[in-house]
Amino acid sequence: MQYMSSMAPKGLCLLPLALLFLLFQTATANPRHENVIDRCWRGRGNWAANRQRLAVCSVGFAGKMRQNRGAGVTPYTVTDPSDDPVRPRPGTLRYGATVLPGKVWITFQRDMHIRLAQPLFVKSFTAIDGRGADVHIAGGAGIVLYEVNNVIVHGLQVHGIRAQPAGSVVRPGGAVQSVDVGDGDAIRLVTSSKVWIDHNTLSRCEDGLLDVTLGSTDVTVSNNWFHDHDKVMLLGHDDGQLTDRRMRVTVAFNRFGPNVNQRMPRIRHGYAHVVNNFYDGWRDYAIGGSMGPSVKSQGNLFIASTTDSANVTRRMPAGDTAGKEWHWHSVGDSFENGAFFQQMGSRVRPNYNRHQAFPAASSSVVRSLTKDAGALRCSARSAC
């Protein structure tokens, strides 16, 4: 081999080496066909030294989360997994997410399981960043975003959430108020806006895994793994809640399944852009709705569990007389095991601005795009 190389003309020797180098660069620069969000930060080995970079990686209706970063943000580390809903101690998650004033970026000192005694009311301009630790919110109450904005929830495992007895809890601003019996949601948005829910693993809760209700809007739900649950995601409070007409939600790069039943999502009134998600089966339906919502389903992969439940969509009630107001379209989706999508109405674009827009990938690469959906196991010393 040395003799052949030494005798070969320079051009013939260098060309294969250059081609090999280019192939190596291509293979290593994007080894997992990362989606546009992950590509923004995951390949950086020093991500932990600049955690706030994550805030400019969001896309979709939440837009960039620039108000969650900068010199005015207080870094806060959770060191104590205990929870006192009325008098939170410094070092606990509730103290950082609810009590600490101003803009806060929350991280976790180590792996921990947190059982919330009452719902955790997260205040505006708060980022909960679970990267670098294995953080479980489990066995108690869930997370509530009530009349807040500019919130990031990233990298948590939320499961086993149950309705808690009525009690008292501190709210943003420091007031202690009574709360009724909860409903067992993992994460619930109420009249909130500009929220990014990314790279969380949610499963096995008493009610929903994620609810966006009562006029909440400009929300991006991305890179999450929803599994082993009945009613997964609700967008819109009820049929009579007209404030949800302004709701706009992007559902992108998520994995649904296995062992999920319905509401991925279920939409009332508003608009949902459902793009590049992996649907690993369903029992009842995948995407449903009532009250004439608009849906653009784009570049998703739908794999029906059985041919008996192969219909991706469900309009409620069946044969809705307001059907002319429905606008549900499938663009570039892929369907396996007999899955099919019932289209209706006209195409309605999301009309993203330049801070929200992102390219939808082909459904042929959705498995790769969503392979790492859910909470990541990251090391602070290497790329995630």
Side-chain angles (χ1 to χ4, degrees):
M1 180 66 70
Q2 289 179 344
Y3 173 78
M4 293 178 65
S5 297
S6 63
M7 296 297 291
K10 287 185 178 180
L12 292 177
C13 178
L14 293 176
L15 183 59
L17 289 175
L19 286 173
L20 285 172
F21 178 72
L22 287 172
L23 288 171
F24 176 78
Q25 273 197 320
T26 302
T28 56
N30 194 13
R32 293 178 293 271
H33 294 289
E34 287 177 327
N35 61 61
V36 64
I37 294 172
D38 284 358
R39 192 163 59 243
C40 177
W41 70 272
R42 284 190 61 189
R44 297 170 180 263
N46 65 339
W47 64 268
N50 184 16
R51 284 179 174 268
Q52 292 182 23
R53 176 180 170 77
L54 182 70
V56 299
C57 295
S58 56
V59 296
F61 284 120
K64 304 304 179 190
M65 307 297 290
R66 290 192 173 92
Q67 292 297 314
N68 292 91
R69 69 192 302 248
V73 176
T74 300
Y76 175 87
T77 303
V78 178
T79 59
D80 181 355
S82 68
D83 182 53
D84 185 332
V86 177
R87 292 175 293 276
R89 290 186 292 274
T92 62
L93 174 59
R94 194 179 297 272
Y95 185 88
T98 308
V99 177
L100 196 63
K103 300 180 179 182
V104 181
W105 194 284
I106 298 173
T107 60
F108 296 81
Q109 184 184 61
R110 62 182 187 278
D111 297 351
M112 59 182 66
H113 281 65
I114 299 173
R115 184 189 180 281
L116 297 171
Q118 289 292 346
L120 175 69
F121 285 86
V122 179
K123 65 180 184 60
S124 294
F125 303 104
T126 298
I128 302 177
D129 180 1
R131 290 175 297 173
D134 185 22
V135 181
H136 294 250
I137 309 297
I143 298 170
V144 177
L145 279 57
Y146 181 79
E147 296 184 349
V148 295
N149 58 77
N150 291 276
V151 174
I152 301 170
V153 180
H154 182 104
L156 305 180
Q157 298 199 50
V158 187
H159 54 93
I161 302 304
R162 298 289 179 265
Q164 303 300 305
S168 297
V169 63
V170 65
R171 296 286 193 95
V176 175
Q177 298 179 1
S178 298
V179 291
D180 296 330
V181 175
D183 51 10
D185 290 332
I187 302 175
R188 185 181 184 193
L189 280 61
V190 180
T191 322
S192 293
S193 63
K194 199 164 178 59
V195 174
W196 185 25
I197 309 295
D198 185 61
H199 268 300
N200 303 283
T201 301
L202 301 99
S203 65
R204 302 184 181 93
C205 295
E206 186 171 344
D207 194 16
L209 295 183
L210 177 61
D211 283 8
V212 180
T213 64
L214 295 171
S216 295
T217 191
D218 292 342
V219 177
T220 295
V221 181
S222 57
N223 291 306
N224 302 285
W225 181 19
F226 303 92
H227 65 92
D228 293 285
H229 195 78
D230 178 12
K231 299 175 181 178
V232 177
M233 186 188 310
L234 177 66
L235 308 182
H237 181 69
D238 60 31
D239 288 356
Q241 191 64 44
L242 301 185
T243 59
D244 285 326
R245 287 178 175 174
R246 70 189 185 102
M247 177 183 63
R248 305 187 304 173
V249 180
T250 301
V251 181
F253 313 125
N254 302 284
R255 179 181 176 186
F256 295 98
N259 302 319
V260 287
N261 185 25
Q262 59 180 313
R263 298 190 178 183
M264 296 171 273
R266 184 201 198 283
I267 311 124
R268 292 184 174 102
H269 296 293
Y271 183 96
H273 185 201
V274 182
V275 54
N276 288 153
N277 300 283
F278 178 29
Y279 288 83
D280 190 10
W282 57 87
R283 293 190 299 276
D284 200 353
Y285 64 87
I287 301 174
S290 59
M291 304 308 295
S294 296
V295 177
K296 181 177 182 179
S297 176
Q298 182 175 16
N300 301 289
L301 173 58
F302 296 100
I303 305 176
S305 299
T306 67
T307 55
D308 292 334
S309 61
N311 194 347
V312 170
T313 60
R314 173 168 294 182
R315 192 172 69 187
M316 294 168 269
D320 185 357
T321 57
K324 64 180 184 298
E325 300 176 6
W326 293 62
H327 304 287
W328 287 27
H329 270 266
S330 169
V331 181
D333 291 327
S334 290
F335 305 94
E336 296 184 9
N337 199 27
F340 65 96
F341 190 110
Q342 289 187 315
Q343 304 194 68
M344 61 200 77
S346 58
R347 296 187 180 185
V348 181
R349 298 178 179 178
N351 294 322
Y352 291 134
N353 64 34
R354 63 187 181 89
H355 302 293
Q356 300 167 330
F358 64 102
S362 167
S363 60
S364 64
V365 297
V366 161
R367 281 187 171 89
S368 295
L369 294 178
T370 60
K371 183 175 70 68
D372 296 326
L376 299 164
R377 289 312 308 265
C378 291
S379 167
R381 294 173 295 278
S382 63
C384 283

